[in-house]
Structures are given as C-alpha cells and as structure tokens.
Amino acid sequence: MKKTITILCAFLCMLTFQGCGIYSFNGISIDENIKTFQVNFFQNQAPIVEPGIDRTFTFALQDLIQDQTNLSLVSNNGELLFEGEIVEYYIAPQASTSENTAAQNRLTISVNVRYYNNTKTDGEDDFERRFSFFSDVPATTQLVGSELDTALEEIFERITQDIVNESLAKW
C-alpha cells in the first residue's frame, strides 16, 4: 500500500510539472524558436592588461550559456548576441595592519557587456551594462599562477552568471 501511494504521488508530481510547459530551475526562459547564440571576443581594454584573461572570460561566458541552455554556439549571425570588453582590472589594498601595511588585497574586474536579441525588432530585451566583481586575497599572496587562476575563476563565475541572469532569466 505504501509503495502504491509513493508511485501515485510521484506520478502526480510529474503531471504537475508536465503541465507547466518548459520549466527551468535556474530561471532561464528562452523563446522556443531561438536556437543560436553568439559570444564575440571580449577584448581587454583595461589600463592594466593581464594576458589571457580576455580569452578566459570569453570562453567562461560561452561555457555557462551552453551549460544552462539548449542553445547552439555559432560564430556569426547568432539570434542572441553578447559582445563587449574588459574595462577594469586592478588590485587595491583592502585591509591594513597596525604597521600600516596591507593585510588583504582585492582584485576587481569589470566587464562592459552589450546584449542583443536579434529576433525582436523593437530592441526591448537589448541592453548595455557594466558587470563587476572582486576576489580578496591575503597581502602575502602574489596573484600569479594558481592563485590568480583561482581568483579569476571566482570573479568570472559571478560575472558570467550575472550576465546570463540579466539577459536570459526572466524573474
């Protein structure tokens, strides 16, 4: 009897979600007619240039969109277009010690993003916006090698998710 009730409850839950149409736990709702997206290369135009972060960021945004949607990545004529540039990359002291030295440094990166939904002629969904995030590291840590990779991963994970939420999630 217990097994029958469990199966019945599971069946009712499946019917409930089935009736809701396409449902996404991450809030992304894309018109079912949209099949492609394009992410143009995000050039590093920050005053301080850290080699390779432009490529890393571009791939991070492409990967996140592919992971969270069923859209296909194309190199041109994408129905959804993401483009922009990295405009800030700087490290600033965040906290000090009693000896007036930095106890913690903050790496901040800002990215200017332009998003176009080329399936709509009214430009209602289009935007241009700056996204920024940071990572705090001990002042004794030099941001090179794996330390830099870890900080960039943390920053890019947050910025790319914010971009996807702004452009594709309709909360």
Side-chain angles (χ1 to χ4, degrees):
M1 182 69 178
K2 220 179 201 185
K3 191 174 187 178
T4 305
I5 292 174
T6 304
I7 293 172
L8 183 60
C9 286
F11 181 72
L12 288 174
C13 286
M14 286 182 1
L15 283 178
T16 302
F17 284 117
Q18 181 86 16
C20 293
I22 298 173
Y23 182 78
S24 170
F25 288 106
N26 58 16
I28 294 177
S29 59
I30 302 170
D31 184 330
E32 62 187 33
N33 297 323
I34 296 176
K35 303 291 183 210
T36 63
F37 77 98
Q38 175 182 338
V39 177
N40 289 343
F41 186 72
F42 279 74
Q43 296 234 343
N44 189 350
Q45 296 180 353
I48 298 174
V49 175
E50 177 64 38
I53 67 168
D54 42 10
R55 181 176 181 265
T56 304
F57 177 78
T58 302
F59 287 157
L61 183 56
Q62 289 173 347
D63 290 345
L64 185 66
I65 296 170
Q66 285 180 314
D67 288 347
Q68 293 190 359
T69 70
N70 60 353
L71 300 175
S72 298
L73 176 64
V74 295
S75 57
N76 54 27
N77 298 323
E79 294 167 294
L80 304 179
L81 172 64
F82 297 84
E83 64 181 18
E85 51 279 334
I86 297 171
V87 293
E88 285 184 335
Y89 176 98
Y90 64 91
I91 301 170
Q94 190 58 28
S96 62
T97 65
S98 60
E99 289 87 32
N100 287 333
T101 59
Q104 190 174 38
N105 289 325
R106 176 172 283 180
L107 170 62
T108 303
I109 298 176
S110 296
V111 180
N112 189 53
V113 177
R114 290 175 297 282
Y115 167 75
Y116 304 99
N117 182 337
N118 294 322
T119 63
K120 294 187 177 183
T121 56
D122 60 6
E124 180 183 332
D125 292 344
D126 301 351
F127 66 81
E128 180 170 359
R129 183 170 166 216
R130 180 178 285 203
F131 295 88
S132 183
F133 199 66
F134 61 88
S135 178
D136 292 332
V137 294
T140 56
T141 302
Q142 288 197 3
L143 278 173
V144 294
S146 66
E147 295 293 334
L148 177 61
D149 291 343
T150 301
L152 290 175
E153 184 178 323
E154 176 185 355
I155 293 169
F156 290 164
E157 180 179 322
R158 176 63 177 265
I159 292 175
T160 55
Q161 189 63 60
D162 287 348
I163 293 167
V164 168
N165 289 344
E166 179 75 18
S167 57
L168 303 177
K170 308 296 183 201
W171 292 93

